[in-house]
Amino acid sequence: MTLRLTAHTVTTETDDGAVLLSQRTGDYWQVNHTGAYALQRLLAGRTVEQVAEEFAARYDIAPAQAREDLTALTDQLRSSGLVEAD
């Protein structure tokens, strides 16, 4: 599964990570640096599995935990209508 922003979503990097704004609803999400980095990787075409492997090595965490965290992030962004999956 790869992600892309929906047509009505814009994202901006901030000092603390990034903000995603739905221009349709006015709702926004703020993600920290780790979340912003993960989102960049996913929007660049990497799969959750690929990013989870990278995070497991980079942050010295269990691959299963990295997958769980990334899946939770993508599920929340999808249910909020900010991203969609191919």
Side-chain angles (χ1 to χ4, degrees):
M1 168 181 74
T2 57
L3 292 182
R4 68 178 175 276
L5 296 175
T6 58
H8 55 81
T9 301
V10 293
T11 184
T12 300
E13 290 186 28
T14 67
D15 291 339
D16 298 324
V19 173
L20 292 90
L21 170 69
S22 169
Q23 294 176 318
R24 182 175 47 101
T25 66
D27 294 335
Y28 70 93
W29 271 69
Q30 183 174 358
V31 293
N32 64 18
H33 288 289
T34 306
Y37 181 76
L39 186 60
Q40 288 172 344
R41 308 298 281 166
L42 293 165
L43 292 174
R46 292 190 175 274
T47 65
V48 167
E49 186 65 34
Q50 290 169 327
V51 177
E53 289 176 15
E54 181 181 337
F55 271 41
R58 181 180 179 132
Y59 297 108
D60 194 29
I61 59 174
Q65 183 64 54
R67 274 190 302 282
E68 184 178 319
D69 292 348
L70 287 166
T71 298
L73 174 66
T74 58
D75 287 351
Q76 291 174 340
L77 293 175
R78 287 176 68 193
S79 69
S80 297
L82 297 169
V83 300
E84 50 196 14
D86 289 334

PDB file of all heavy atoms in Angstrom, residues 2-43:
ATOM      1  N   THR A   2       0.616   2.154  -0.894  1.00  0.00           N
ATOM      2  CA  THR A   2       1.295   3.446  -0.903  1.00  0.00           C
ATOM      3  C   THR A   2       0.250   4.525  -0.643  1.00  0.00           C
ATOM      4  O   THR A   2      -0.933   4.350  -0.913  1.00  0.00           O
ATOM      5  CB  THR A   2       2.027   3.709  -2.228  1.00  0.00           C
ATOM      6  OG1 THR A   2       1.091   3.629  -3.297  1.00  0.00           O
ATOM      7  CG2 THR A   2       3.141   2.702  -2.445  1.00  0.00           C
ATOM      8  N   LEU A   3       0.715   5.635  -0.113  1.00  0.00           N
ATOM      9  CA  LEU A   3      -0.185   6.729   0.251  1.00  0.00           C
ATOM     10  C   LEU A   3       0.026   7.940  -0.629  1.00  0.00           C
ATOM     11  O   LEU A   3       1.107   8.160  -1.158  1.00  0.00           O
ATOM     12  CB  LEU A   3       0.071   7.166   1.697  1.00  0.00           C
ATOM     13  CG  LEU A   3      -0.274   6.215   2.820  1.00  0.00           C
ATOM     14  CD1 LEU A   3       0.018   6.885   4.153  1.00  0.00           C
ATOM     15  CD2 LEU A   3      -1.723   5.802   2.762  1.00  0.00           C
ATOM     16  N   ARG A   4      -1.022   8.745  -0.711  1.00  0.00           N
ATOM     17  CA  ARG A   4      -0.932  10.069  -1.331  1.00  0.00           C
ATOM     18  C   ARG A   4      -1.900  10.975  -0.596  1.00  0.00           C
ATOM     19  O   ARG A   4      -2.888  10.525  -0.017  1.00  0.00           O
ATOM     20  CB  ARG A   4      -1.229  10.010  -2.820  1.00  0.00           C
ATOM     21  CG  ARG A   4      -2.644   9.685  -3.168  1.00  0.00           C
ATOM     22  CD  ARG A   4      -2.879   9.685  -4.686  1.00  0.00           C
ATOM     23  NE  ARG A   4      -4.217   9.263  -4.992  1.00  0.00           N
ATOM     24  CZ  ARG A   4      -4.622   8.005  -5.102  1.00  0.00           C
ATOM     25  NH1 ARG A   4      -3.767   7.031  -4.943  1.00  0.00           N
ATOM     26  NH2 ARG A   4      -5.861   7.708  -5.377  1.00  0.00           N
ATOM     27  N   LEU A   5      -1.575  12.263  -0.585  1.00  0.00           N
ATOM     28  CA  LEU A   5      -2.484  13.236   0.011  1.00  0.00           C
ATOM     29  C   LEU A   5      -3.752  13.308  -0.823  1.00  0.00           C
ATOM     30  O   LEU A   5      -3.707  13.185  -2.045  1.00  0.00           O
ATOM     31  CB  LEU A   5      -1.831  14.620   0.051  1.00  0.00           C
ATOM     32  CG  LEU A   5      -0.585  14.780   0.922  1.00  0.00           C
ATOM     33  CD1 LEU A   5      -0.004  16.174   0.737  1.00  0.00           C
ATOM     34  CD2 LEU A   5      -0.888  14.507   2.380  1.00  0.00           C
ATOM     35  N   THR A   6      -4.886  13.521  -0.187  1.00  0.00           N
ATOM     36  CA  THR A   6      -6.108  13.733  -0.952  1.00  0.00           C
ATOM     37  C   THR A   6      -6.015  15.093  -1.646  1.00  0.00           C
ATOM     38  O   THR A   6      -5.197  15.934  -1.265  1.00  0.00           O
ATOM     39  CB  THR A   6      -7.357  13.680  -0.041  1.00  0.00           C
ATOM     40  OG1 THR A   6      -7.227  14.657   0.979  1.00  0.00           O
ATOM     41  CG2 THR A   6      -7.535  12.297   0.577  1.00  0.00           C
ATOM     42  N   ALA A   7      -6.862  15.312  -2.617  1.00  0.00           N
ATOM     43  CA  ALA A   7      -6.808  16.540  -3.424  1.00  0.00           C
ATOM     44  C   ALA A   7      -7.005  17.796  -2.592  1.00  0.00           C
ATOM     45  O   ALA A   7      -6.508  18.864  -2.950  1.00  0.00           O
ATOM     46  CB  ALA A   7      -7.857  16.469  -4.529  1.00  0.00           C
ATOM     47  N   HIS A   8      -7.689  17.688  -1.476  1.00  0.00           N
ATOM     48  CA  HIS A   8      -7.988  18.866  -0.659  1.00  0.00           C
ATOM     49  C   HIS A   8      -7.071  18.989   0.564  1.00  0.00           C
ATOM     50  O   HIS A   8      -7.342  19.785   1.462  1.00  0.00           O
ATOM     51  CB  HIS A   8      -9.454  18.842  -0.202  1.00  0.00           C
ATOM     52  CG  HIS A   8      -9.826  17.590   0.526  1.00  0.00           C
ATOM     53  ND1 HIS A   8      -9.544  17.379   1.847  1.00  0.00           N
ATOM     54  CD2 HIS A   8     -10.435  16.470   0.087  1.00  0.00           C
ATOM     55  CE1 HIS A   8      -9.970  16.194   2.204  1.00  0.00           C
ATOM     56  NE2 HIS A   8     -10.515  15.617   1.158  1.00  0.00           N
ATOM     57  N   THR A   9      -5.978  18.225   0.602  1.00  0.00           N
ATOM     58  CA  THR A   9      -5.063  18.259   1.746  1.00  0.00           C
ATOM     59  C   THR A   9      -3.759  18.944   1.364  1.00  0.00           C
ATOM     60  O   THR A   9      -3.195  18.675   0.311  1.00  0.00           O
ATOM     61  CB  THR A   9      -4.751  16.835   2.249  1.00  0.00           C
ATOM     62  OG1 THR A   9      -5.972  16.212   2.624  1.00  0.00           O
ATOM     63  CG2 THR A   9      -3.811  16.855   3.435  1.00  0.00           C
ATOM     64  N   VAL A  10      -3.311  19.820   2.235  1.00  0.00           N
ATOM     65  CA  VAL A  10      -1.998  20.451   2.072  1.00  0.00           C
ATOM     66  C   VAL A  10      -1.184  20.149   3.328  1.00  0.00           C
ATOM     67  O   VAL A  10      -1.733  19.940   4.410  1.00  0.00           O
ATOM     68  CB  VAL A  10      -2.087  21.973   1.844  1.00  0.00           C
ATOM     69  CG1 VAL A  10      -2.739  22.286   0.509  1.00  0.00           C
ATOM     70  CG2 VAL A  10      -2.808  22.665   2.975  1.00  0.00           C
ATOM     71  N   THR A  11       0.115  20.118   3.165  1.00  0.00           N
ATOM     72  CA  THR A  11       0.998  19.849   4.290  1.00  0.00           C
ATOM     73  C   THR A  11       2.109  20.891   4.323  1.00  0.00           C
ATOM     74  O   THR A  11       2.544  21.375   3.277  1.00  0.00           O
ATOM     75  CB  THR A  11       1.578  18.422   4.232  1.00  0.00           C
ATOM     76  OG1 THR A  11       2.355  18.174   5.395  1.00  0.00           O
ATOM     77  CG2 THR A  11       2.407  18.201   2.996  1.00  0.00           C
ATOM     78  N   THR A  12       2.513  21.228   5.527  1.00  0.00           N
ATOM     79  CA  THR A  12       3.571  22.203   5.730  1.00  0.00           C
ATOM     80  C   THR A  12       4.480  21.714   6.843  1.00  0.00           C
ATOM     81  O   THR A  12       3.991  21.264   7.887  1.00  0.00           O
ATOM     82  CB  THR A  12       2.984  23.570   6.138  1.00  0.00           C
ATOM     83  OG1 THR A  12       2.129  24.035   5.103  1.00  0.00           O
ATOM     84  CG2 THR A  12       4.068  24.591   6.396  1.00  0.00           C
ATOM     85  N   GLU A  13       5.780  21.806   6.602  1.00  0.00           N
ATOM     86  CA  GLU A  13       6.731  21.471   7.652  1.00  0.00           C
ATOM     87  C   GLU A  13       6.746  22.594   8.684  1.00  0.00           C
ATOM     88  O   GLU A  13       6.579  23.764   8.351  1.00  0.00           O
ATOM     89  CB  GLU A  13       8.128  21.281   7.073  1.00  0.00           C
ATOM     90  CG  GLU A  13       8.253  20.024   6.238  1.00  0.00           C
ATOM     91  CD  GLU A  13       9.671  19.765   5.778  1.00  0.00           C
ATOM     92  OE1 GLU A  13      10.621  20.189   6.479  1.00  0.00           O
ATOM     93  OE2 GLU A  13       9.825  19.133   4.725  1.00  0.00           O
ATOM     94  N   THR A  14       6.928  22.218   9.947  1.00  0.00           N
ATOM     95  CA  THR A  14       7.017  23.179  11.040  1.00  0.00           C
ATOM     96  C   THR A  14       8.281  22.879  11.842  1.00  0.00           C
ATOM     97  O   THR A  14       8.957  21.878  11.593  1.00  0.00           O
ATOM     98  CB  THR A  14       5.794  23.069  11.975  1.00  0.00           C
ATOM     99  OG1 THR A  14       5.833  21.803  12.642  1.00  0.00           O
ATOM    100  CG2 THR A  14       4.487  23.229  11.223  1.00  0.00           C
ATOM    101  N   ASP A  15       8.561  23.719  12.815  1.00  0.00           N
ATOM    102  CA  ASP A  15       9.709  23.471  13.683  1.00  0.00           C
ATOM    103  C   ASP A  15       9.561  22.176  14.466  1.00  0.00           C
ATOM    104  O   ASP A  15      10.546  21.549  14.838  1.00  0.00           O
ATOM    105  CB  ASP A  15       9.902  24.625  14.669  1.00  0.00           C
ATOM    106  CG  ASP A  15      10.358  25.900  13.996  1.00  0.00           C
ATOM    107  OD1 ASP A  15      10.910  25.826  12.865  1.00  0.00           O
ATOM    108  OD2 ASP A  15      10.166  26.980  14.586  1.00  0.00           O
ATOM    109  N   ASP A  16       8.320  21.776  14.720  1.00  0.00           N
ATOM    110  CA  ASP A  16       8.043  20.590  15.518  1.00  0.00           C
ATOM    111  C   ASP A  16       7.736  19.344  14.700  1.00  0.00           C
ATOM    112  O   ASP A  16       7.487  18.292  15.266  1.00  0.00           O
ATOM    113  CB  ASP A  16       6.860  20.856  16.457  1.00  0.00           C
ATOM    114  CG  ASP A  16       7.151  21.976  17.432  1.00  0.00           C
ATOM    115  OD1 ASP A  16       8.305  22.096  17.876  1.00  0.00           O
ATOM    116  OD2 ASP A  16       6.216  22.734  17.748  1.00  0.00           O
ATOM    117  N   GLY A  17       7.678  19.437  13.388  1.00  0.00           N
ATOM    118  CA  GLY A  17       7.343  18.292  12.532  1.00  0.00           C
ATOM    119  C   GLY A  17       6.633  18.754  11.280  1.00  0.00           C
ATOM    120  O   GLY A  17       7.235  19.311  10.378  1.00  0.00           O
ATOM    121  N   ALA A  18       5.311  18.539  11.251  1.00  0.00           N
ATOM    122  CA  ALA A  18       4.527  18.943  10.084  1.00  0.00           C
ATOM    123  C   ALA A  18       3.061  19.086  10.482  1.00  0.00           C
ATOM    124  O   ALA A  18       2.616  18.522  11.484  1.00  0.00           O
ATOM    125  CB  ALA A  18       4.663  17.933   8.951  1.00  0.00           C
ATOM    126  N   VAL A  19       2.328  19.834   9.661  1.00  0.00           N
ATOM    127  CA  VAL A  19       0.888  20.000   9.833  1.00  0.00           C
ATOM    128  C   VAL A  19       0.227  19.638   8.511  1.00  0.00           C
ATOM    129  O   VAL A  19       0.680  20.044   7.444  1.00  0.00           O
ATOM    130  CB  VAL A  19       0.534  21.450  10.226  1.00  0.00           C
ATOM    131  CG1 VAL A  19      -0.964  21.665  10.231  1.00  0.00           C
ATOM    132  CG2 VAL A  19       1.132  21.804  11.567  1.00  0.00           C
ATOM    133  N   LEU A  20      -0.845  18.862   8.602  1.00  0.00           N
ATOM    134  CA  LEU A  20      -1.665  18.522   7.442  1.00  0.00           C
ATOM    135  C   LEU A  20      -3.010  19.211   7.620  1.00  0.00           C
ATOM    136  O   LEU A  20      -3.618  19.121   8.690  1.00  0.00           O
ATOM    137  CB  LEU A  20      -1.897  17.014   7.352  1.00  0.00           C
ATOM    138  CG  LEU A  20      -0.683  16.166   7.023  1.00  0.00           C
ATOM    139  CD1 LEU A  20       0.023  15.757   8.289  1.00  0.00           C
ATOM    140  CD2 LEU A  20      -1.096  14.963   6.235  1.00  0.00           C
ATOM    141  N   LEU A  21      -3.475  19.909   6.599  1.00  0.00           N
ATOM    142  CA  LEU A  21      -4.718  20.670   6.672  1.00  0.00           C
ATOM    143  C   LEU A  21      -5.680  20.190   5.602  1.00  0.00           C
ATOM    144  O   LEU A  21      -5.310  20.091   4.426  1.00  0.00           O
ATOM    145  CB  LEU A  21      -4.440  22.160   6.471  1.00  0.00           C
ATOM    146  CG  LEU A  21      -5.660  23.057   6.281  1.00  0.00           C
ATOM    147  CD1 LEU A  21      -6.474  23.163   7.568  1.00  0.00           C
ATOM    148  CD2 LEU A  21      -5.230  24.431   5.787  1.00  0.00           C
ATOM    149  N   SER A  22      -6.902  19.902   6.013  1.00  0.00           N
ATOM    150  CA  SER A  22      -7.968  19.595   5.059  1.00  0.00           C
ATOM    151  C   SER A  22      -8.612  20.907   4.659  1.00  0.00           C
ATOM    152  O   SER A  22      -9.252  21.564   5.491  1.00  0.00           O
ATOM    153  CB  SER A  22      -9.014  18.665   5.676  1.00  0.00           C
ATOM    154  OG  SER A  22     -10.139  18.591   4.819  1.00  0.00           O
ATOM    155  N   GLN A  23      -8.451  21.297   3.419  1.00  0.00           N
ATOM    156  CA  GLN A  23      -9.063  22.538   2.946  1.00  0.00           C
ATOM    157  C   GLN A  23     -10.574  22.383   2.799  1.00  0.00           C
ATOM    158  O   GLN A  23     -11.283  23.373   2.736  1.00  0.00           O
ATOM    159  CB  GLN A  23      -8.446  22.949   1.615  1.00  0.00           C
ATOM    160  CG  GLN A  23      -6.981  23.322   1.754  1.00  0.00           C
ATOM    161  CD  GLN A  23      -6.335  23.642   0.423  1.00  0.00           C
ATOM    162  OE1 GLN A  23      -6.569  22.960  -0.579  1.00  0.00           O
ATOM    163  NE2 GLN A  23      -5.516  24.680   0.415  1.00  0.00           N
ATOM    164  N   ARG A  24     -11.036  21.167   2.799  1.00  0.00           N
ATOM    165  CA  ARG A  24     -12.472  20.897   2.690  1.00  0.00           C
ATOM    166  C   ARG A  24     -13.177  21.130   4.027  1.00  0.00           C
ATOM    167  O   ARG A  24     -14.236  21.745   4.084  1.00  0.00           O
ATOM    168  CB  ARG A  24     -12.707  19.467   2.206  1.00  0.00           C
ATOM    169  CG  ARG A  24     -14.156  19.093   2.002  1.00  0.00           C
ATOM    170  CD  ARG A  24     -14.302  17.700   1.410  1.00  0.00           C
ATOM    171  NE  ARG A  24     -13.466  16.735   2.108  1.00  0.00           N
ATOM    172  CZ  ARG A  24     -13.902  15.884   3.027  1.00  0.00           C
ATOM    173  NH1 ARG A  24     -15.167  15.866   3.358  1.00  0.00           N
ATOM    174  NH2 ARG A  24     -13.072  15.037   3.603  1.00  0.00           N
ATOM    175  N   THR A  25     -12.563  20.637   5.131  1.00  0.00           N
ATOM    176  CA  THR A  25     -13.223  20.709   6.430  1.00  0.00           C
ATOM    177  C   THR A  25     -12.616  21.745   7.373  1.00  0.00           C
ATOM    178  O   THR A  25     -13.233  22.114   8.367  1.00  0.00           O
ATOM    179  CB  THR A  25     -13.157  19.348   7.146  1.00  0.00           C
ATOM    180  OG1 THR A  25     -11.792  19.051   7.460  1.00  0.00           O
ATOM    181  CG2 THR A  25     -13.775  18.250   6.305  1.00  0.00           C
ATOM    182  N   GLY A  26     -11.382  22.158   7.107  1.00  0.00           N
ATOM    183  CA  GLY A  26     -10.675  23.055   8.005  1.00  0.00           C
ATOM    184  C   GLY A  26      -9.980  22.337   9.149  1.00  0.00           C
ATOM    185  O   GLY A  26      -9.313  22.952   9.962  1.00  0.00           O
ATOM    186  N   ASP A  27     -10.141  21.019   9.212  1.00  0.00           N
ATOM    187  CA  ASP A  27      -9.473  20.228  10.245  1.00  0.00           C
ATOM    188  C   ASP A  27      -7.998  20.097   9.912  1.00  0.00           C
ATOM    189  O   ASP A  27      -7.612  20.075   8.740  1.00  0.00           O
ATOM    190  CB  ASP A  27     -10.086  18.833  10.344  1.00  0.00           C
ATOM    191  CG  ASP A  27     -11.516  18.846  10.833  1.00  0.00           C
ATOM    192  OD1 ASP A  27     -11.903  19.806  11.523  1.00  0.00           O
ATOM    193  OD2 ASP A  27     -12.248  17.895  10.514  1.00  0.00           O
ATOM    194  N   TYR A  28      -7.187  20.007  10.959  1.00  0.00           N
ATOM    195  CA  TYR A  28      -5.770  19.805  10.719  1.00  0.00           C
ATOM    196  C   TYR A  28      -5.193  18.818  11.717  1.00  0.00           C
ATOM    197  O   TYR A  28      -5.743  18.594  12.782  1.00  0.00           O
ATOM    198  CB  TYR A  28      -4.993  21.127  10.754  1.00  0.00           C
ATOM    199  CG  TYR A  28      -4.876  21.749  12.113  1.00  0.00           C
ATOM    200  CD1 TYR A  28      -3.767  21.495  12.918  1.00  0.00           C
ATOM    201  CD2 TYR A  28      -5.863  22.590  12.605  1.00  0.00           C
ATOM    202  CE1 TYR A  28      -3.651  22.063  14.174  1.00  0.00           C
ATOM    203  CE2 TYR A  28      -5.759  23.163  13.849  1.00  0.00           C
ATOM    204  CZ  TYR A  28      -4.649  22.890  14.627  1.00  0.00           C
ATOM    205  OH  TYR A  28      -4.537  23.443  15.875  1.00  0.00           O
ATOM    206  N   TRP A  29      -4.101  18.228  11.313  1.00  0.00           N
ATOM    207  CA  TRP A  29      -3.354  17.283  12.133  1.00  0.00           C
ATOM    208  C   TRP A  29      -1.940  17.787  12.255  1.00  0.00           C
ATOM    209  O   TRP A  29      -1.355  18.243  11.268  1.00  0.00           O
ATOM    210  CB  TRP A  29      -3.304  15.922  11.447  1.00  0.00           C
ATOM    211  CG  TRP A  29      -4.435  15.021  11.790  1.00  0.00           C
ATOM    212  CD1 TRP A  29      -5.744  15.168  11.426  1.00  0.00           C
ATOM    213  CD2 TRP A  29      -4.361  13.824  12.541  1.00  0.00           C
ATOM    214  NE1 TRP A  29      -6.479  14.138  11.903  1.00  0.00           N
ATOM    215  CE2 TRP A  29      -5.638  13.288  12.598  1.00  0.00           C
ATOM    216  CE3 TRP A  29      -3.311  13.153  13.172  1.00  0.00           C
ATOM    217  CZ2 TRP A  29      -5.911  12.113  13.257  1.00  0.00           C
ATOM    218  CZ3 TRP A  29      -3.593  11.978  13.816  1.00  0.00           C
ATOM    219  CH2 TRP A  29      -4.892  11.476  13.870  1.00  0.00           C
ATOM    220  N   GLN A  30      -1.386  17.664  13.433  1.00  0.00           N
ATOM    221  CA  GLN A  30       0.025  17.975  13.629  1.00  0.00           C
ATOM    222  C   GLN A  30       0.739  16.675  13.959  1.00  0.00           C
ATOM    223  O   GLN A  30       0.260  15.882  14.769  1.00  0.00           O
ATOM    224  CB  GLN A  30       0.207  18.969  14.772  1.00  0.00           C
ATOM    225  CG  GLN A  30       1.640  19.380  14.964  1.00  0.00           C
ATOM    226  CD  GLN A  30       1.788  20.481  16.000  1.00  0.00           C
ATOM    227  OE1 GLN A  30       0.812  20.963  16.558  1.00  0.00           O
ATOM    228  NE2 GLN A  30       3.015  20.856  16.253  1.00  0.00           N
ATOM    229  N   VAL A  31       1.869  16.440  13.293  1.00  0.00           N
ATOM    230  CA  VAL A  31       2.691  15.266  13.587  1.00  0.00           C
ATOM    231  C   VAL A  31       4.077  15.746  14.002  1.00  0.00           C
ATOM    232  O   VAL A  31       4.554  16.780  13.538  1.00  0.00           O
ATOM    233  CB  VAL A  31       2.784  14.294  12.385  1.00  0.00           C
ATOM    234  CG1 VAL A  31       1.424  13.664  12.095  1.00  0.00           C
ATOM    235  CG2 VAL A  31       3.301  14.981  11.140  1.00  0.00           C
ATOM    236  N   ASN A  32       4.705  14.990  14.896  1.00  0.00           N
ATOM    237  CA  ASN A  32       6.047  15.351  15.355  1.00  0.00           C
ATOM    238  C   ASN A  32       7.079  15.018  14.275  1.00  0.00           C
ATOM    239  O   ASN A  32       6.720  14.576  13.178  1.00  0.00           O
ATOM    240  CB  ASN A  32       6.361  14.664  16.686  1.00  0.00           C
ATOM    241  CG  ASN A  32       6.398  13.145  16.573  1.00  0.00           C
ATOM    242  OD1 ASN A  32       6.521  12.572  15.502  1.00  0.00           O
ATOM    243  ND2 ASN A  32       6.278  12.485  17.711  1.00  0.00           N
ATOM    244  N   HIS A  33       8.352  15.225  14.586  1.00  0.00           N
ATOM    245  CA  HIS A  33       9.407  14.997  13.596  1.00  0.00           C
ATOM    246  C   HIS A  33       9.403  13.560  13.075  1.00  0.00           C
ATOM    247  O   HIS A  33       9.550  13.338  11.873  1.00  0.00           O
ATOM    248  CB  HIS A  33      10.785  15.327  14.188  1.00  0.00           C
ATOM    249  CG  HIS A  33      11.016  16.780  14.379  1.00  0.00           C
ATOM    250  ND1 HIS A  33      11.212  17.651  13.330  1.00  0.00           N
ATOM    251  CD2 HIS A  33      11.042  17.539  15.501  1.00  0.00           C
ATOM    252  CE1 HIS A  33      11.366  18.874  13.801  1.00  0.00           C
ATOM    253  NE2 HIS A  33      11.270  18.841  15.114  1.00  0.00           N
ATOM    254  N   THR A  34       9.226  12.607  13.962  1.00  0.00           N
ATOM    255  CA  THR A  34       9.220  11.208  13.548  1.00  0.00           C
ATOM    256  C   THR A  34       8.030  10.922  12.646  1.00  0.00           C
ATOM    257  O   THR A  34       8.162  10.257  11.621  1.00  0.00           O
ATOM    258  CB  THR A  34       9.196  10.278  14.781  1.00  0.00           C
ATOM    259  OG1 THR A  34      10.289  10.620  15.638  1.00  0.00           O
ATOM    260  CG2 THR A  34       9.306   8.832  14.376  1.00  0.00           C
ATOM    261  N   GLY A  35       6.868  11.440  13.016  1.00  0.00           N
ATOM    262  CA  GLY A  35       5.680  11.260  12.181  1.00  0.00           C
ATOM    263  C   GLY A  35       5.822  11.936  10.828  1.00  0.00           C
ATOM    264  O   GLY A  35       5.408  11.395   9.807  1.00  0.00           O
ATOM    265  N   ALA A  36       6.421  13.125  10.816  1.00  0.00           N
ATOM    266  CA  ALA A  36       6.635  13.846   9.555  1.00  0.00           C
ATOM    267  C   ALA A  36       7.601  13.080   8.654  1.00  0.00           C
ATOM    268  O   ALA A  36       7.382  12.961   7.443  1.00  0.00           O
ATOM    269  CB  ALA A  36       7.160  15.247   9.829  1.00  0.00           C
ATOM    270  N   TYR A  37       8.662  12.538   9.248  1.00  0.00           N
ATOM    271  CA  TYR A  37       9.627  11.759   8.478  1.00  0.00           C
ATOM    272  C   TYR A  37       8.954  10.512   7.902  1.00  0.00           C
ATOM    273  O   TYR A  37       9.138  10.185   6.726  1.00  0.00           O
ATOM    274  CB  TYR A  37      10.819  11.385   9.355  1.00  0.00           C
ATOM    275  CG  TYR A  37      11.874  10.601   8.639  1.00  0.00           C
ATOM    276  CD1 TYR A  37      12.754  11.222   7.755  1.00  0.00           C
ATOM    277  CD2 TYR A  37      11.997   9.229   8.832  1.00  0.00           C
ATOM    278  CE1 TYR A  37      13.723  10.497   7.086  1.00  0.00           C
ATOM    279  CE2 TYR A  37      12.969   8.489   8.172  1.00  0.00           C
ATOM    280  CZ  TYR A  37      13.825   9.133   7.305  1.00  0.00           C
ATOM    281  OH  TYR A  37      14.778   8.406   6.639  1.00  0.00           O
ATOM    282  N   ALA A  38       8.166   9.844   8.721  1.00  0.00           N
ATOM    283  CA  ALA A  38       7.448   8.649   8.255  1.00  0.00           C
ATOM    284  C   ALA A  38       6.506   9.016   7.113  1.00  0.00           C
ATOM    285  O   ALA A  38       6.461   8.329   6.083  1.00  0.00           O
ATOM    286  CB  ALA A  38       6.676   8.018   9.402  1.00  0.00           C
ATOM    287  N   LEU A  39       5.763  10.095   7.281  1.00  0.00           N
ATOM    288  CA  LEU A  39       4.824  10.518   6.250  1.00  0.00           C
ATOM    289  C   LEU A  39       5.539  10.855   4.947  1.00  0.00           C
ATOM    290  O   LEU A  39       5.088  10.472   3.863  1.00  0.00           O
ATOM    291  CB  LEU A  39       3.996  11.704   6.741  1.00  0.00           C
ATOM    292  CG  LEU A  39       2.879  12.168   5.825  1.00  0.00           C
ATOM    293  CD1 LEU A  39       1.880  11.054   5.578  1.00  0.00           C
ATOM    294  CD2 LEU A  39       2.187  13.383   6.431  1.00  0.00           C
ATOM    295  N   GLN A  40       6.666  11.544   5.036  1.00  0.00           N
ATOM    296  CA  GLN A  40       7.449  11.852   3.830  1.00  0.00           C
ATOM    297  C   GLN A  40       7.845  10.577   3.099  1.00  0.00           C
ATOM    298  O   GLN A  40       7.750  10.502   1.875  1.00  0.00           O
ATOM    299  CB  GLN A  40       8.708  12.636   4.190  1.00  0.00           C
ATOM    300  CG  GLN A  40       8.471  14.045   4.601  1.00  0.00           C
ATOM    301  CD  GLN A  40       9.749  14.709   5.124  1.00  0.00           C
ATOM    302  OE1 GLN A  40      10.735  14.047   5.452  1.00  0.00           O
ATOM    303  NE2 GLN A  40       9.718  16.026   5.218  1.00  0.00           N
ATOM    304  N   ARG A  41       8.313   9.595   3.849  1.00  0.00           N
ATOM    305  CA  ARG A  41       8.743   8.328   3.248  1.00  0.00           C
ATOM    306  C   ARG A  41       7.563   7.624   2.591  1.00  0.00           C
ATOM    307  O   ARG A  41       7.682   7.080   1.496  1.00  0.00           O
ATOM    308  CB  ARG A  41       9.386   7.415   4.292  1.00  0.00           C
ATOM    309  CG  ARG A  41      10.500   8.041   5.123  1.00  0.00           C
ATOM    310  CD  ARG A  41      11.685   8.480   4.330  1.00  0.00           C
ATOM    311  NE  ARG A  41      12.508   7.320   4.027  1.00  0.00           N
ATOM    312  CZ  ARG A  41      13.476   7.310   3.139  1.00  0.00           C
ATOM    313  NH1 ARG A  41      13.759   8.411   2.475  1.00  0.00           N
ATOM    314  NH2 ARG A  41      14.170   6.237   2.897  1.00  0.00           N
ATOM    315  N   LEU A  42       6.419   7.611   3.269  1.00  0.00           N
ATOM    316  CA  LEU A  42       5.238   6.937   2.731  1.00  0.00           C
ATOM    317  C   LEU A  42       4.701   7.655   1.493  1.00  0.00           C
ATOM    318  O   LEU A  42       4.319   7.014   0.511  1.00  0.00           O
ATOM    319  CB  LEU A  42       4.152   6.832   3.809  1.00  0.00           C
ATOM    320  CG  LEU A  42       4.502   5.908   4.977  1.00  0.00           C
ATOM    321  CD1 LEU A  42       3.557   6.158   6.148  1.00  0.00           C
ATOM    322  CD2 LEU A  42       4.481   4.451   4.547  1.00  0.00           C
ATOM    323  N   LEU A  43       4.681   8.982   1.527  1.00  0.00           N
ATOM    324  CA  LEU A  43       4.204   9.740   0.368  1.00  0.00           C
ATOM    325  C   LEU A  43       5.164   9.641  -0.813  1.00  0.00           C
ATOM    326  O   LEU A  43       4.769   9.862  -1.960  1.00  0.00           O
ATOM    327  CB  LEU A  43       3.979  11.211   0.747  1.00  0.00           C
ATOM    328  CG  LEU A  43       2.831  11.473   1.725  1.00  0.00           C
ATOM    329  CD1 LEU A  43       2.814  12.935   2.141  1.00  0.00           C
ATOM    330  CD2 LEU A  43       1.495  11.039   1.146  1.00  0.00           C
TER     331      LEU A  43
END
